[in-house]
Amino acid sequence: MKNMLTPPEGYENAFKALENMYNSYITFTNIVLDCNGSLESFSNDFGEADEDLIQKYHSAELYVK
């Protein structure tokens, strides 16, 4: 992602969608790598992050297919 700080002209919306998905991916992986709290709170956080990542993936998918 850091190599894509300046998207090509006309691809700004695609870049923004991919950036949003990447941020959700980082949040998702951090939940798994840094487990805190109870099993119930982990499960809730995991489910929310999973749903958010899937939503952002589908938004970004429109630009890369």
Side-chain angles (χ1 to χ4, degrees):
M1 283 302 292
K2 63 184 166 183
N3 292 335
M4 296 177 48
L5 291 178
T6 311
E9 188 175 324
Y11 291 95
E12 293 85 4
N13 291 337
F15 174 77
K16 189 65 177 169
L18 290 171
E19 182 179 43
N20 288 335
M21 188 187 85
Y22 179 76
N23 291 335
S24 292
Y25 167 77
I26 294 298
T27 299
F28 181 76
T29 57
N30 284 339
I31 288 170
V32 174
L33 296 175
D34 187 26
C35 300
N36 290 319
S38 68
L39 179 58
E40 183 178 348
S41 67
F42 171 80
S43 180
N44 289 338
D45 293 345
F46 182 89
E48 290 173 10
D50 183 45
E51 295 250 348
D52 184 55
L53 179 58
I54 290 169
Q55 177 188 10
K56 300 286 176 52
Y57 169 80
H58 288 300
S59 295
E61 187 178 35
L62 298 172
Y63 295 103
V64 294
K65 273 196 166 186

